[in-house]
Amino acid sequence: MVIGNPIAHSKSPQIHQQFAKQTGLDIRYARQYCPDDKASFTAVVEAFFNGGGVGANVTVPFKQFAYQMCAEQGGLSAHAQVAGAVNTLLLKDGKLFGDNTDGQGLVNHLRQLGWPLQGAKVAILGAGGASRGVVLPLIEAGISELTIANRTLSKAEDLIDQLCSAHPLIATIAPTSCTIEALTGQYDLIINATSIGLSGDTLPLSEALRCGYAYDMMYGRELPFLTHFHAHSAQVSEGYGMLIGQAALSFTQWTGKAVDSNLFI
Ligand code: ATR
C-alpha cells in the first residue's frame, strides 16, 4: 500500500501492478488514506503489518512520522537516516525497517537518461525534505561539486551543516550555499527540489545561470524552470522517471525481484 494525505491521485498502485506483471507476481497494492497525525499513522502502519502486509510506501505528509516510527521501533537505512525521512517500509527480522529510495530513484533516472554524474558540478534549488533526500545518493554517484541555493539562505546553510554531520562522505565535497538569485555561472546539472510548482510563482533565476542538464523533481504539469533552461539549450527532464525509479527500488526490496523501469519511459 501507499499511505498519504491526499492519496486519491497516487500513481503508485498502477506502477507496482506493472512491476508485478513484469515479474510474474500476484500482488495487492492499494492507496491508504490516513488522517494527518502521528497516532493515526502509527495505527495504520501497525494494522497493515499485523495483518500480513509485506511492504508499504509512505508519501506526503508522513515521511517524517515514518522515520520517527522506525527510529523508535526498528531500524533505518543509511539513506533514510541522512534524509531524515522514510518512503519505504518493510519488516526485517520481525521489526519495522525504513528506507528512503527517492534519491537513488533520481540517480537511476539520471543514469537512464544518460546524463553524466561522475565529476559533475551540481546545484540543487530548495533546502527542504526533497533536497535533503537526494544529496547523499548524488554524492555516492560521483558528483564533485554541490551548491544548495534557497530562497531562505539560512535554511540552506543549516541543511548543509546537518548533512555534513550526518554522513562523512557529504563533508568531503564541501557543499556551498547561496540564495537562488545569487546562483550564477555554468553548472553541469541543476535540480529543482523546491515545492514552487505547487504555488504558481516562478523562481528568480539569474540570466547568468547556465547548465547542460536541468531536472525538475515535479512532474505532470508545465514547469517554468524547465522552459527557462530549455530555451538556453539545456537537456531537460521532469521527475516522473524518479517516481518510477523510487518505486522500482521499493518493489525489489519487498519481493527480491529486479524490475526494468525503462519499460515505463
Ligand atoms: P519539500 O519536502 O517538498 O522539500 P519543504 O520542506 O516545505 O517541502 O520545502 C520547500 C522548499 O521549496 C523550500 O526550500 C522552500 O524555500 P524556503 O526554505 O525559502 O521556504 C522552497 N519554496 C517553496 N515555495 C517557494 C517559492 N515561491 N520560491 C522559492 N522557493 C520556494
Side-chain angles (χ1 to χ4, degrees):
M1 68 170 176
V2 54
I3 316 168
N5 180 351
I7 198 64
H9 299 293
S10 169
K11 293 188 164 54
S12 292
Q14 290 100 301
I15 294 171
H16 284 280
Q17 286 303 343
Q18 285 277 348
F19 291 148
K21 212 165 131 191
Q22 245 186 58
T23 52
L25 295 175
D26 184 16
I27 65 160
R28 276 203 299 140
Y29 185 107
R31 298 181 184 90
Q32 178 64 56
Y33 172 84
C34 180
D36 184 5
D37 64 87
K38 195 178 173 195
S40 302
F41 177 76
T42 304
V44 165
V45 170
E46 286 178 352
F48 175 75
F49 285 107
N50 290 337
V54 172
N57 281 129
V58 179
T59 188
V60 178
F62 297 121
K63 292 183 186 182
Q64 279 80 23
F65 286 159
Y67 171 90
Q68 287 164 20
M69 206 177 157
C70 293
E72 285 157 18
Q73 299 187 12
L76 289 158
S77 70
H79 282 172
Q81 255 165 31
V82 173
V86 160
N87 79 330
T88 305
L89 290 170
L90 57 148
L91 295 179
K92 250 192 189 169
D93 304 323
K95 289 202 171 137
L96 191 66
F97 184 82
D99 189 13
N100 191 318
T101 63
D102 288 330
Q104 195 58 43
L106 167 68
V107 165
N108 290 354
H109 186 215
L110 297 174
R111 288 191 171 131
Q112 222 173 317
L113 291 166
W115 294 8
L117 291 173
Q118 193 61 44
K121 178 177 172 181
V122 177
I124 299 176
L125 311 184
S131 191
R132 179 190 295 263
V134 299
V135 168
L136 179 60
L138 284 168
I139 295 176
E140 288 172 339
I143 68 165
S144 61
E145 285 180 56
L146 176 65
T147 300
I148 296 181
N150 198 43
R151 177 175 60 181
T152 315
L153 179 60
S154 61
K155 280 215 225 164
E157 292 166 347
D158 291 349
L159 179 62
I160 289 173
D161 287 349
Q162 287 164 21
L163 287 169
C164 286
S165 31
H167 202 287
L169 193 61
I170 298 177
T172 59
I173 73 160
T176 56
S177 58
C178 64
T179 60
I180 293 174
E181 298 91 313
L183 188 69
T184 58
Q186 176 75 36
Y187 285 80
D188 295 311
L189 169 64
I190 303 182
I191 297 168
N192 181 17
T194 69
S195 53
I196 193 158
L198 306 170
S199 68
D201 294 349
T202 50
L203 292 165
L205 299 171
S206 161
E207 269 309 311
L209 178 63
R210 293 284 183 280
C211 64
Y213 303 91
Y215 193 95
D216 201 314
M217 287 169 63
M218 294 270 171
Y219 62 88
R221 65 186 84 202
E222 194 183 320
L223 299 160
F225 166 83
L226 295 182
T227 313
H228 176 94
F229 288 109
H230 192 245
H232 291 296
S233 310
Q235 288 190 44
V236 301
S237 175
E238 57 153 37
Y240 190 64
M242 175 179 174
L243 179 76
I244 308 288
Q246 62 77 31
L249 292 163
S250 300
F251 187 91
T252 299
Q253 289 217 40
W254 298 326
T255 63
K257 306 264 187 197
V259 288
D260 184 359
S261 15
N262 274 306
L263 295 180
F264 280 91
I265 298 168

